[in-house]
Amino acid sequence: MDWDKLRIFHAVADAGSLTHAGDTLRLSQSAVSRQIRALEESLGTTLFHRHARGLILTEQGELLFDATSTMARKLESAAARIRDSESEVFGELKVTTTMGFGTLWLAPRLIKLYDRYPDLKIDLMLEERVLDLPMREADVAIRMKEPSQADLIRKRLMNIRMRLYASPEYLERSGTPTRLEELSGHRLICQNPATPQVSAGAELSNKLLSYDIPSSLTVNNYFGVLQAVLNHIGIGVLPDYLTADFPFLVRVLPEIESVDVPVFLAYPEELRQSRRVAAFRDFVQEEVIAYRRRQSDVITTAD
């Protein structure tokens, strides 16, 4: 098959429109249309159903698009490795992690990485869905469980736990519970247990909500829970890594916490030599070490 025609087919399938694909490829709509017709003739099949709103892939078109998508990802990976300089770090790095960890721990620290590598472009994808690293949906992942996919380099960064926190202002106004049963006199803030999240957080929230708590606020991410706690709305279930950046929050009912949640950094084996990946990995590890040191200092001071 003609590689150039496949490139044009991929652009059309991705855009769902001859016009939009032409804009991307810097070709006229008629030129794109001729290439698609020529490809269909060479294959002896129809690749698109045409209708007023655009183009829809036929079954045969879907098969070909799967193949060209795989080719595009591999070419992108090869180009990324070629662009990686032995002495410089630049270009785009796609990083995925959860909404909570990404907004509350990672994003506030990225200024240090940009100061070190000002030409780095980071595409930060925050979602609970586990993206496919071998298929290059992302370059690097930070996840709250060990990745199960093969051909990944992985490193355990730290363990976290979900605990109860409140603002001093809230506790001064509403009192500090000393027993689990006393939560009935407070407003509980947590993620809805049905929301995609680490199982340890959902289990703790389910346990607490099973008590007679007349008023609660559930949010679909920890950033929202934190904002509610900071604004003195109630007692929130939050990951303990927040204590490094919000040391004034008061831990409530210290005996209540989730089991350990491991945090892993992972990336595909094929990116082992990537300077961008190495720079990001080293930066995260340095920040984790600094975080652990601060936590140890807090514990020592408390003792």
Side-chain angles (χ1 to χ4, degrees), residues 75-86 90 274 276:
L75 287 171
E76 181 185 343
S77 174
R81 292 200 301 272
I82 292 169
R83 286 193 304 267
D84 270 340
S85 166
E86 292 184 359
F90 61 92
S274 168
R276 291 192 302 280

Side-chain angles (χ1 to χ4, degrees), residues 181-301:
E181 292 75 14
E182 292 178 8
L183 278 180
S184 60
H186 295 267
R187 182 173 298 107
L188 181 69
I189 311 166
C190 63
Q191 283 210 64
N192 187 314
T195 299
Q197 59 183 296
V198 295
S199 58
E203 289 168 5
L204 180 57
S205 295
N206 266 325
K207 175 183 176 181
L208 296 172
L209 289 169
S210 68
Y211 284 81
D212 182 21
I213 299 177
S215 181
S216 66
L217 170 63
T218 57
V219 191
N220 65 348
N221 61 69
Y222 285 120
F223 180 77
V225 175
L226 174 63
Q227 293 306 307
V229 170
L230 292 178
N231 285 281
H232 327 306
I233 293 175
I235 298 173
V237 178
L238 288 165
D240 60 359
Y241 58 72
L242 288 173
T243 55
D245 297 321
F246 300 91
F248 55 85
L249 289 180
V250 179
R251 187 175 176 189
V252 177
L253 297 172
E255 72 278 8
I256 304 300
E257 62 183 7
S258 73
V259 298
D260 276 339
V261 179
V263 181
F264 280 87
L265 182 144
Y267 52 93
E269 175 72 35
E270 66 188 63
L271 293 181
R272 178 186 289 274
Q273 302 303 322
S274 168
R275 292 286 298 167
R276 291 192 302 280
V277 170
F280 182 81
R281 177 201 63 210
D282 294 345
F283 154 74
V284 170
Q285 290 181 167
E286 289 170 11
E287 287 301 308
V288 167
I289 291 171
Y291 160 77
R292 286 173 172 168
R293 188 179 297 121
R294 286 195 297 272
Q295 294 301 93
S296 297
D297 291 344
V298 170
I299 293 172
T300 302
T301 303

Side-chain angles (χ1 to χ4, degrees), residues 88-100:
E88 297 180 45
V89 175
F90 61 92
E92 184 180 70
L93 182 70
K94 295 183 288 186
V95 178
T96 179
T97 189
T98 61
M99 176 70 75

Side-chain angles (χ1 to χ4, degrees), residues 43-54:
L43 292 174
T45 190
T46 300
L47 299 173
F48 294 99
H49 292 304
R50 293 159 175 82
H51 62 87
R53 291 184 310 231

Side-chain angles (χ1 to χ4, degrees), residues 76 80 83-84 88-96 106 110 113-125 136 138-140 274-277 279-280:
E76 181 185 343
R83 286 193 304 267
D84 270 340
E88 297 180 45
V89 175
F90 61 92
E92 184 180 70
L93 182 70
K94 295 183 288 186
V95 178
T96 179
L106 180 58
L110 287 178
L113 183 63
Y114 281 120
D115 285 344
R116 195 178 302 175
Y117 305 111
D119 295 326
L120 191 60
K121 300 176 182 177
I122 297 175
D123 181 6
L124 190 56
M125 296 174 283
R136 297 304 305 278
D139 300 315
V140 184
S274 168
R275 292 286 298 167
R276 291 192 302 280
V277 170
F280 182 81

Side-chain angles (χ1 to χ4, degrees), residues 120-159:
L120 191 60
K121 300 176 182 177
I122 297 175
D123 181 6
L124 190 56
M125 296 174 283
L126 305 181
E127 54 182 297
E128 307 309 312
R129 181 172 67 94
V130 177
L131 300 187
D132 193 328
L133 295 184
M135 294 299 289
R136 297 304 305 278
E137 288 187 312
D139 300 315
V140 184
I142 299 177
R143 284 292 167 191
M144 309 300 127
K145 62 183 293 187
E146 183 169 8
S148 59
Q149 294 169 301
D151 301 323
L152 292 181
I153 297 172
R154 63 206 73 196
K155 179 175 180 59
R156 190 166 184 156
L157 297 173
M158 59 181 170
N159 292 327

